[in-house]
Amino acid sequence: LETPLSEASSRICEIDLLATPKAFDWIEPVLITLVKNPMPILKRLRLRYIPRLNNNMETIKAEQLYGNKTFPLLEDLNLDGLNITKPISLLPSSLRSLSLPHGTLCDDGDAHILRDLLSSMPLLEVIDLRNVTLANLSDGSEISLPERPVYFAHLHRLTLGANYLTVSRFLEIVSFP
């Protein structure tokens, strides 16, 4: 399966996979095969990792799978249940839709790193961050927030599912029409 996928990677424009902990053992090599090859026309990537199906709370770090690969045309990214602990190439400036439910975004960083990451995606029209750990925004202590928010001129849908403190702080680092 890996060889045909390697040969087809330059012609793939959409990937949609669902993985459970049991299935991930065979899906991981497939994903690695796909992303280690050029994917110049990939526009949509949807990966749903559901560890909760087996009461397994193990997480997958997205950068383990995707490294520094570039995806110049990627517009729609949905990584359900994955953790993004640092900026990765799967978050290119071409993104129009970013959905990261049930995962983490910059969990070992602070609000400034989160703001910098978000500012690298100026074309976002849709942001879905349901049940996501967002940097240190839920920290009960006083935190340093960026002085200027990221402005998303094209944003028309924002979905947040978090505690009040996280939502309030997130809305201080982003702005939109």
Side-chain angles (χ1 to χ4, degrees):
L1 183 60
E2 292 176 33
T3 301
L5 286 174
S6 293
E7 295 169 0
S9 66
S10 65
R11 298 185 312 272
I12 294 174
C13 62
E14 183 172 332
I15 298 173
D16 193 340
L17 294 171
L18 171 65
T20 65
K22 287 183 178 180
F24 202 79
D25 289 341
W26 67 268
I27 288 177
E28 185 176 24
V30 169
L31 287 172
I32 291 170
T33 298
L34 285 172
V35 300
K36 74 180 179 183
N37 294 293
M39 299 187 81
I41 64 169
L42 182 67
K43 288 190 174 189
R44 173 185 277 173
L45 175 61
R46 294 177 184 265
L47 174 60
R48 292 174 304 279
Y49 176 63
I50 308 177
R52 300 168 299 286
L53 291 180
N54 290 348
N55 293 323
N56 178 352
M57 295 314 292
E58 172 190 348
T59 60
I60 297 171
K61 292 184 178 179
E63 60 268 20
Q64 290 173 330
L65 296 177
Y66 305 106
N68 294 319
K69 194 76 182 147
T70 59
F71 303 90
L73 299 180
L74 188 63
E75 293 181 352
D76 183 358
L77 179 65
N78 181 324
L79 299 178
D80 189 340
L82 273 73
N83 297 327
I84 298 175
T85 58
K86 61 183 180 180
I88 59 172
S89 60
L90 265 181
L91 302 173
S93 61
S94 59
L95 273 185
R96 295 191 178 279
S97 177
L98 175 65
S99 181
L100 302 171
H102 309 102
T104 61
L105 186 58
C106 299
D107 67 339
D108 58 353
D110 64 13
H112 296 275
I113 292 172
L114 179 60
R115 184 213 177 275
D116 291 346
L117 179 66
L118 292 170
S119 69
S120 71
M121 299 173 279
L123 300 177
L124 283 174
E125 298 171 3
V126 175
I127 300 174
D128 179 356
L129 300 173
R130 289 172 284 128
N131 301 312
V132 176
T133 300
L134 295 169
N136 64 345
L137 299 187
S138 65
D139 190 342
S141 62
E142 197 67 29
I143 65 169
S144 170
L145 293 173
E147 290 182 25
R148 291 186 359 203
V150 177
Y151 182 70
F152 291 107
H154 308 286
L155 191 69
H156 60 83
R157 185 173 62 200
L158 173 63
T159 306
L160 295 172
N163 64 46
Y164 172 78
L165 187 57
T166 300
V167 170
S168 174
R169 287 175 172 170
F170 184 80
L171 292 175
E172 287 185 46
I173 63 172
V174 299
S175 67
F176 42 89

